[in-house]
Amino acid sequence: MACLLAVAALWLITFQRIAFERDQAVAAAMKSNTNLAIAFEQQVFRTLKTAEQIAVFVRDLYMQQGRAVDLRQLANQRTIREAAFSIVSVVGENGDILSSTSLRASSVINYADREFFFAQREPGADTLFISQPVLGRVSGHWQIPMSMRIALPDGSFGGVVVMSVRPAEFTNFYEQADLGQQGLLELGKLDGAVLSRKIGGRNESAQDAAPFAWFSRRQTEPEGGFVDDGQALDGVARIVSYRTLAGYPLMVAVGTSYEDELAAARQREGRYLLMAGSISLALLLFASLLILMLARQRTAVSAVQASEALFRATFHQAAMGIAHIAPDGRIIGANEKLCLMLGYSEEELRARTIFELGDRHDEERVRMQLQQRLSAPLSAFFPEIEKTYRRKDGSILWVCEALSAVTDVNGQARFLVAVTQDITARKELEERLSHAALHDPLTGLPNRLMFMDRFDQVLESARRHGGLAGILYIDLDGFKGVNDRLGHATGDQLLCEVGRRLQNCVRAEDTVARFGGDEFGVVLASLGKAEDCEAVARKIITALATPFDLAANEASSTVIRVSASVGAAVYPVHGTDIAILLNLADTAMYAAKNAGRNQFTSAPGSQPAQP
């Protein structure tokens, strides 16, 4: 009886151990796939946000320039340089291509029958519309169109900004994650359409995901993981984790082969069965049984160590910065990527709080965000935030950060996990694009677009307060001769110096702008009386008549003499419309130039005045 009981106990323990290790292997794979699904979701989310930013930028540019917008030139100048978007086009209200980054695009290509065109014709939310994959008429390859509606000022349909993304661009994540020969990576729409899928080395798109278990489960659970038998796809059982993208009708799925994940466990199962059989047949002594138990204990320790090693590898080799943050804000762990981003060692970060790494004026906001996440640790969605950190060298680091909570068995938050993405380059690009759109690249002065905006603001203020406002239109006399005699480099240097002198002639609340060539404009805000406009003009004529001493090189300089013809118009003396006032000032400037140059002339009705 003792022998039978020992054998029964031995086989019971063996089968429990086998089941336990299978469960452990599945749980470890599920955890790893969940982390990969989160990373894949964030990559797709960033790609879509970038698509929205490019679409808004192109749409705003089209609203400013109309059909003159040249997307191919922007692509050549690297203003639009996101490699994922192979083609960016502006499509008119009738479906014809008006402008495109592709050399193969032609106005004879029409998109009026495309899904995205029908979707954007009807007014709705100003969001990115993601279409099903189609065979591109420009590229000749399968593409995923992403589009945003162009609305005219009256709200009517004005066209579409459409970008084409190759389906493989989304599943390139497969090469970054080791999913094995039978691994699955899928991006699909919530209506069941597969945008991109990669199984092993095979790419697929434009498929139907409705028969698959992860699609049907998502309808009741936005995210989760399970073991799929694979009968609906290719017969390969997989451990699948899926997530629904926040803010987009999309879902991602990551799967690894069930057999691949359990290969190591199955090898150990054979050893366990052989060991149990040998003990059952030979009825070895108690010492042999004890040795077997110790061997199993060592195997369990190895499995735990392997699991810990996998976690450490995933944590430290992640492409994004990751930090573990205590509820009081202390940093209790950081991966190598975050250390490199901030310039601190892990020990230095552990000695600090998350508040000390940011700006002091942002500390209260960061505390509130931490408390909000701690108060809802089980929430499936918490919005990403953009914030700044200060590196060890004092420089500013812009990041996009997502917070998630790690809870105990009671659902209480133990600590927070902050996943940080460096977006400093994107922020710098946004600042450069904003400045370039409103300023003259040579002088740094506001351009015509910013001039008109300032003039509109000044007129609106004058209307509200019943005041006066003026505009000066300035053209240099003799500038062409300077270019012809001394070259364009000296001419450019002269224009920069003219801009500085003009700024010195006006108040801080006034605006000096360069229209182009040798033409400048000045907006005079809050004039006390109409004659003040002439006084400023005379001051400008005197300043620009003073010779310019420009350095030709380190050893010599060149003295240049030019003058200025100035035209002016005053609101509301000469008109109340911005276009009329600008035209009157321009006409007055030409009258001053025709009257002998180096003069000031007010809007029609006034006589030229000698300086």
Side-chain angles (χ1 to χ4, degrees), residues 438-480:
L438 298 174
H439 291 81
D440 174 46
L442 175 63
T443 63
L445 294 173
N447 60 14
R448 182 182 288 270
L449 180 64
M450 188 172 181
F451 177 88
M452 297 300 288
D453 181 68
R454 293 278 181 83
F455 193 23
D456 185 63
Q457 295 177 22
V458 167
L459 290 186
E460 183 62 29
S461 176
R463 291 188 188 99
R464 287 198 307 267
H465 300 96
L468 299 174
I471 179 174
L472 300 179
Y473 207 111
I474 304 165
D475 185 87
L476 298 182
D477 304 323
F479 177 74
K480 183 177 183 300

Side-chain angles (χ1 to χ4, degrees), residues 23 65 109-110 155 190 205 254 300 338 357 378 380 428 458 465-466 473 485 503 551 577 579 596:
D23 293 341
Q65 301 181 8
I109 297 177
N110 189 277
L190 298 187
S205 61
V254 176
L338 185 63
L357 297 176
L378 300 179
E428 292 174 350
V458 167
H465 300 96
Y473 207 111
R485 295 194 316 273
Q503 287 179 309
D577 181 74

Side-chain angles (χ1 to χ4, degrees), residues 101-309:
T101 59
S102 173
L103 295 172
R104 300 173 62 184
S106 170
S107 60
V108 300
I109 297 177
N110 189 277
Y111 286 139
D113 61 337
R114 290 297 200 195
E115 177 190 11
F116 69 84
F117 192 85
F118 285 110
Q120 299 290 11
R121 284 182 64 89
E122 300 300 326
D126 189 20
T127 57
L128 190 71
F129 181 80
I130 304 166
S131 302
Q132 297 186 18
V134 296
L135 187 62
R137 292 174 178 167
V138 175
S139 66
H141 302 289
W142 283 95
Q143 304 278 0
I144 300 174
M146 299 182 181
S147 61
M148 289 195 78
R149 187 176 193 266
I150 298 175
L152 298 179
D154 62 357
S156 62
F157 178 62
V160 176
V161 177
V162 61
M163 296 161 290
S164 297
V165 182
R166 292 182 297 274
E169 288 291 341
F170 288 107
T171 52
N172 284 341
F173 183 82
Y174 193 101
E175 279 72 29
Q176 304 173 23
D178 184 11
L179 300 180
Q181 294 297 319
Q182 299 293 335
L184 166 72
L185 191 66
E186 180 179 288
L187 173 64
K189 298 182 69 175
L190 298 187
D191 61 5
V194 175
L195 297 181
S196 182
R197 178 195 295 148
K198 190 161 188 176
I199 301 176
R202 185 175 76 255
N203 286 302
E204 299 177 351
S205 61
Q207 304 290 325
D208 185 11
F212 306 137
W214 53 86
F215 180 79
S216 57
R217 284 172 177 258
R218 190 216 61 80
Q219 298 177 9
T220 55
E221 298 178 6
E223 62 183 65
F226 64 99
V227 178
D228 179 57
D229 60 10
Q231 295 303 315
L233 182 58
D234 56 0
V236 177
R238 291 183 177 87
I239 300 172
V240 178
S241 292
Y242 65 92
R243 293 179 65 84
T244 304
L245 265 71
Y248 296 96
L250 301 175
M251 66 175 294
V252 297
V254 176
T256 51
S257 169
Y258 182 85
E259 291 299 325
D260 290 347
E261 295 292 351
L262 266 66
R266 292 195 186 282
Q267 291 179 357
R268 290 193 295 272
E269 288 176 18
R271 294 198 297 268
Y272 293 156
L273 294 174
L274 179 60
M275 189 177 299
S278 299
I279 294 174
S280 300
L281 295 173
L283 291 177
L284 296 176
L285 298 175
F286 176 77
S288 299
L289 179 59
L290 180 59
I291 292 173
L292 177 60
M293 294 175 64
L294 293 175
R296 289 204 304 271
Q297 184 178 2
R298 287 195 297 271
T299 303
V301 171
S302 298
V304 173
Q305 290 175 345
S307 178
E308 292 176 350

Side-chain angles (χ1 to χ4, degrees), residues 343-478:
Y344 290 100
S345 66
E346 184 176 359
E347 290 73 18
E348 290 175 321
L349 288 177
R350 286 175 178 271
R352 288 168 169 78
T353 66
I354 196 70
F355 315 117
E356 296 174 17
L357 297 176
D359 290 334
R360 286 296 181 185
H361 64 272
D362 261 355
E363 180 175 342
E364 190 60 33
R365 182 172 66 91
V366 175
R367 288 186 184 275
M368 291 180 61
Q369 290 166 349
L370 290 183
Q371 291 303 318
Q372 289 173 359
R373 196 65 182 102
L374 290 169
S375 63
L378 300 179
S379 174
F381 171 73
F382 196 77
E384 293 182 341
I385 58 173
E386 293 184 358
K387 59 186 290 189
T388 58
Y389 284 125
R390 191 168 294 277
R391 297 187 179 98
K392 187 176 181 179
D393 61 8
S395 60
I396 296 298
L397 172 70
W398 271 98
V399 299
C400 180
E401 188 172 270
L403 288 175
S404 58
V406 176
T407 59
D408 56 21
V409 294
N410 298 319
Q412 298 298 316
R414 293 174 51 210
F415 59 90
L416 296 176
V417 177
V419 180
T420 302
Q421 177 72 22
D422 185 353
I423 59 171
T424 305
R426 192 193 82 195
K427 286 294 185 180
E428 292 174 350
L429 173 61
E430 291 174 355
E431 183 176 352
R432 290 197 303 271
L433 290 175
S434 176
H435 186 274
L438 298 174
H439 291 81
D440 174 46
L442 175 63
T443 63
L445 294 173
N447 60 14
R448 182 182 288 270
L449 180 64
M450 188 172 181
F451 177 88
M452 297 300 288
D453 181 68
R454 293 278 181 83
F455 193 23
D456 185 63
Q457 295 177 22
V458 167
L459 290 186
E460 183 62 29
S461 176
R463 291 188 188 99
R464 287 198 307 267
H465 300 96
L468 299 174
I471 179 174
L472 300 179
Y473 207 111
I474 304 165
D475 185 87
L476 298 182
D477 304 323

Side-chain angles (χ1 to χ4, degrees), residues 44-59:
V44 172
F45 187 86
R46 290 192 300 273
T47 300
L48 297 178
K49 282 299 180 183
T50 302
E52 288 184 354
Q53 292 170 356
I54 292 177
V56 171
F57 169 72
V58 171
R59 181 175 66 184

Side-chain angles (χ1 to χ4, degrees), residues 583-597:
N583 185 59
L584 289 174
D586 186 22
T587 302
M589 180 273 293
Y590 278 105
K593 188 174 287 288
N594 293 332
R597 302 186 176 185

